[in-house]
Amino acid sequence: MQIQEILIIKNAHENYGISTEYINQISRVPDLMPLPLRPSGVRGLCSVSGNVVAMVDMNLLLGMQKVDIKDHKSRVVSLNEELSSNTLLVSDVYNTVEVEQENIDYLDDKDDPVIAIYKYKDLLIQVLSLEELFLKINKVNIPAKEIVTGKVKENIIVEEDSSRFLIFSMSNEKYALEIDYLQEIILADTEFTEVAGSSKELMGLITLRQELLMVIDLRVYYGFEPKTSDENRILVISYDGKKIGLFIDSIIDIKSFYKRDVEYMKDTFEGNKIAGIIHDKDSLVSFFNEQLILEILQANDAFVESTKVSDENIQSDEYAMEVIVFKLGQKEYSFDIECVDEIIDSVSSTKVAFTDSAIDGIINIRGQIVTNVSLFDKLNLETVINEDSKIIVCNIHDNRIGFVVDSVSDILRVKREDIREESNGYFENILHLNDGKRLVLSMDIEKIVAKEEKNA
């Protein structure tokens, strides 16, 4: 079954996605009601839209630290159909996107909740099956106790450390790479610029977002016969400020393994070109780490230097902010994404007597009253509402305020070098996107609200 649309969720340092077919609504975290002897993964009960449901912590099911329900980014995702008796607690909701099938790799492991890997812009999304994820909810855990000299001694179970690996294939053999080294996965259907005098495994150079990337055919490096197929991928690896691409046959899975299942092979790396093996059920998976990456970089050092990004450029390429870009009239503006709660279709508001002309009125969103402020009025533009109009709902000092806009263009991250300070009226920066061909005025919501409060 193909996944058509996903909700992207940010948890810790990783990105996950769930099909929107599961989702009923997204809302702020309601009050949590404790549940005695609750199953592992369930935080308690809560009330959503008048129904009492179980609050399931997505982080706990994935073996991570529990979600901080007091964090302003935390959200609950209400589910439908067979999962409607539960709501999913997540750390941060990023965006809803339509899935481009050429950018998604479906995985075969039926026992793993990660069923696909999706490449969205510069994000690597692990798409989850909620049915498989919810199977990780354990029965009630009652700590085992032992009587010693008349006293009760509790047996404390220590949680094991684990690491996540990307599993991929080369000539029907399974290999693994710790996911910490993986920056992204891209399609292998690209043109290579050959490099004269290079090693046989160096396929050439490609351009990735205006940077040159050296690509090594990992299959040739291991002595396998290269085969071309639609499943071929390039793993973009980042190590010590350098990037390389590793050409492989296909992606199989992303999986967590306990440290007890990972066996290192000391002093044998040079001959075997592997760091060790992973005991995966009834099979063994060869894995490599930074030692292989370092060896490849050193063997092709002359070519890497020509593509290496200097420390100065690395600093300037860091993403300084994340914004939501929208249109008003013929211009593009943006809000800092940190202030944005949600985006909804434009709805009629109820006028409130004796309010400022910039107040459009109030609307009711799932039982919460939101005040609509007119940016058209603030910017002296003609108010035009059409079928593409949206309301961007922001949280400002714990007050939910909506802003009607013509349309929402993008949600994107902006590099420091693309930001020009512009402290003028309601604006704080000008964003120079696409090499300066696209200018976006970054609005300071604090100033809009401050002026609004002053006028009131």
Side-chain angles (χ1 to χ4, degrees), residues 216-231:
I216 296 292
D217 194 326
L218 201 60
R219 303 165 301 177
V220 174
Y221 188 80
Y222 276 92
F224 298 128
E225 181 182 353
K227 294 181 180 179
T228 303
S229 76
D230 293 338
E231 295 183 348

Side-chain angles (χ1 to χ4, degrees), residues 141-152:
N141 289 327
I142 302 177
K145 297 183 179 181
E146 165 183 4
I147 305 298
V148 180
T149 63
K151 296 183 179 180
V152 175

Side-chain angles (χ1 to χ4, degrees), residues 243-254:
K243 293 180 186 177
I244 58 171
L246 303 179
F247 198 108
I248 53 101
D249 279 344
S250 63
I251 301 297
I252 297 177
D253 201 356
I254 289 182

Side-chain angles (χ1 to χ4, degrees), residues 226-239:
K227 294 181 180 179
T228 303
S229 76
D230 293 338
E231 295 183 348
N232 291 158
R233 294 293 185 270
I234 297 175
L235 311 181
V236 181
I237 308 300
S238 178
Y239 178 74

Side-chain angles (χ1 to χ4, degrees), residues 328 342-350 360 362-365 372-373 376 383-393 402-408:
L328 284 173
E342 59 183 311
I343 304 166
I344 64 172
D345 291 329
S346 179
V347 295
S348 299
S349 57
T350 302
D360 275 341
I362 57 174
I363 58 175
N364 187 324
I365 302 179
N372 269 359
V373 175
F376 296 99
T383 302
V384 178
I385 307 298
N386 53 53
E387 60 182 10
D388 294 325
S389 295
K390 301 290 183 184
I391 298 177
I392 302 176
V393 181
F403 300 94
V404 180
V405 301
D406 286 345
S407 62
V408 173

Side-chain angles (χ1 to χ4, degrees), residues 8-11 13-17 122-127:
I8 299 177
I9 295 168
K10 288 180 173 290
N11 279 25
H13 301 294
E14 298 190 46
N15 303 298
Y16 295 92
D122 58 346
L123 300 178
L124 203 61
I125 312 299
Q126 300 175 57
V127 183

